[in-house]
Amino acid sequence: MLYTKKLRVLLTTILTLILLFKLNTIQAQIQNDGDLYISDHSLLYVGSDNFNFGLGSTSTSRTKVDYGVLSFSNGAKWSGASDMHFIDGYAQTQSNTAFILPIGQSGVYAPIQVIPSSTDGVDAAYFRTAPSAIGSVLEEGISSMSSVEYWDIKSVGVKAGISLSWRSSSAISDLTASSLPKLTIVGWNGSAWVIIPSTVDEYSILGGISSLDAGSISSNAAVDLSAYTGFSYGTATKQLSVPTFDKVELLAYVNKNRLFIEASLPITALVIYDITGKKIVSQLLNGDLKYDMPFDYANEIYIAKIELDNGTSLFTKKIINKD
């Protein structure tokens, strides 16, 4: 019996090493059409290019400390995630720019976006479980919180802007009594669920405009992930005040096929989507306070996500291109 267990562990380790070698060396898209499981103490590293979820399942162990993880290097990508195909367990990004972690559980695709302060790694998993499994105390100012889901987002020494997504099964309408401005991110600090200052994204990380049925909400500033052991949604007892980052001056507009951005903090990243949700611009910027760049796109409305001061402030702006 003991011999069989040791053999199983050895075979799992060998398979993990083989897959790690393949994913880290093949310079082409990798597609998972089988069943991939990453066990305790194991890490599968996507060193470059694209990981496609394909037809197979992708999962990791969820042991509290020793969980397995599918890790994406700075520059690696993924595709094909959906309610049928996602990472059921822990995903990791080693990027220091905006990255969507394609996680979920129990047939629910529940991605989050993180903007880490460094490339030291941020791990996350989704739990289709009531957050009360962690704790039930709510700080003053929170009237209620989700009863269906939470995320474990962790890192050592890395702060990150975070964006949580929701879908119809999240029951955001019931949670907020149909008052979306009262929605807030909450975090468990070991003693209570507390408010993480946050704002509903006009344009969701899922694509489309945020609504009671589907959307996302982002922290107003980078979060010290080591201070919390879970994140979910809560309802503030009153509509939240103007977020801190709105005090930062930011101007973004298009004139004569050029995009102009001015801010009172260094501008470090820019992502622009068209009205269908297609990403048309994704750039890291060098921290200047002003930018002027060509914008040769159709006359329509666009959504710009602008990062200031390496994630200290995150903005979503609507820009209109017209002759």
Side-chain angles (χ1 to χ4, degrees):
M1 186 72 174
L2 181 59
Y3 174 78
T4 302
K5 184 177 180 180
K6 287 183 177 179
L7 179 60
R8 188 183 302 118
V9 172
L10 177 61
L11 290 174
T12 300
T13 303
I14 292 173
L15 177 59
T16 300
L17 289 173
I18 291 172
L19 288 172
L20 174 60
F21 174 77
K22 288 185 177 180
L23 287 178
N24 202 24
T25 57
I26 296 176
Q27 300 300 310
Q29 175 170 293
I30 297 95
Q31 181 158 311
N32 176 29
D33 286 329
D35 293 329
L36 173 61
Y37 176 74
I38 305 169
S39 62
D40 285 357
H41 301 286
S42 299
L43 180 146
L44 187 60
Y45 183 71
V46 183
S48 61
D49 293 290
N50 185 67
F51 178 90
N52 189 292
F53 284 89
L55 302 176
S57 65
T58 305
S59 60
T60 80
S61 64
R62 290 172 175 262
T63 307
K64 186 173 183 180
V65 177
D66 302 324
Y67 56 83
V69 64
L70 178 58
S71 177
F72 294 88
S73 72
N74 190 6
K77 302 179 294 182
W78 58 265
S79 60
S82 67
D83 282 336
M84 296 292 292
H85 304 287
F86 48 76
I87 300 172
D88 185 348
Y90 283 86
Q92 178 187 90
T93 176
Q94 295 182 9
S95 174
N96 61 353
T97 58
F99 191 89
I100 293 178
L101 292 165
I103 50 182
Q105 189 180 40
S106 302
V108 177
Y109 176 46
I112 64 169
Q113 178 176 270
V114 294
I115 305 178
S117 60
S118 75
T119 58
D120 289 338
V122 172
D123 301 358
Y126 170 73
F127 290 81
R128 189 68 179 177
T129 305
S132 57
I134 300 176
S136 57
V137 179
L138 306 181
E139 78 163 347
E140 184 178 356
I142 301 174
S143 60
S144 59
M145 63 176 299
S146 172
S147 62
V148 298
E149 59 195 353
Y150 71 92
W151 291 260
D152 181 17
I153 310 172
K154 59 179 61 181
S155 185
V156 177
V158 177
K159 293 184 177 181
I162 61 174
S163 302
L164 308 183
S165 66
W166 69 84
R167 59 236 98 251
S168 59
S169 63
S170 302
I172 296 298
S173 181
D174 294 339
L175 176 63
T176 64
S178 300
S179 179
L180 201 53
K182 290 186 177 181
L183 187 69
T184 181
I185 297 175
V186 295
W188 179 256
N189 66 5
S191 302
W193 290 98
V194 300
I195 289 176
I196 306 293
S198 46
T199 304
V200 171
D201 298 323
E202 179 180 5
Y203 198 82
S204 169
I205 64 170
L206 299 172
I209 304 299
S210 291
S211 68
L212 289 167
D213 293 327
S216 64
I217 184 170
S218 298
S219 62
N220 292 349
V223 177
D224 180 0
L225 300 177
S226 64
Y228 304 94
T229 54
F231 296 89
S232 189
Y233 305 112
T235 304
T237 54
K238 59 182 179 179
Q239 183 169 328
L240 299 177
S241 58
V242 176
T244 302
F245 70 43
D246 278 352
K247 297 177 182 178
V248 176
E249 295 181 6
L250 175 67
L251 181 65
Y253 64 93
V254 175
N255 184 35
K256 296 182 179 179
N257 293 322
R258 296 195 70 82
L259 172 63
F260 297 88
I261 305 174
E262 299 181 21
S264 57
L265 290 175
I267 307 166
T268 50
L270 170 67
V271 180
I272 300 178
Y273 302 86
D274 67 17
I275 202 63
T276 68
K278 179 181 179 182
K279 185 188 296 184
I280 62 171
V281 174
S282 180
Q283 294 185 12
L284 292 179
L285 303 176
N286 61 15
D288 289 345
L289 300 181
K290 292 184 179 182
Y291 283 94
D292 170 4
M293 60 190 72
F295 196 81
D296 298 318
Y297 298 98
N299 290 350
E300 59 181 62
I301 297 173
Y302 297 85
I303 303 297
K305 287 185 175 290
I306 303 169
E307 172 190 301
L308 304 183
D309 200 20
N310 286 323
T312 300
S313 296
L314 311 171
F315 288 85
T316 299
K317 289 286 187 180
K318 181 187 297 183
I319 57 176
I320 301 174
N321 188 24
K322 61 182 181 179
D323 292 332

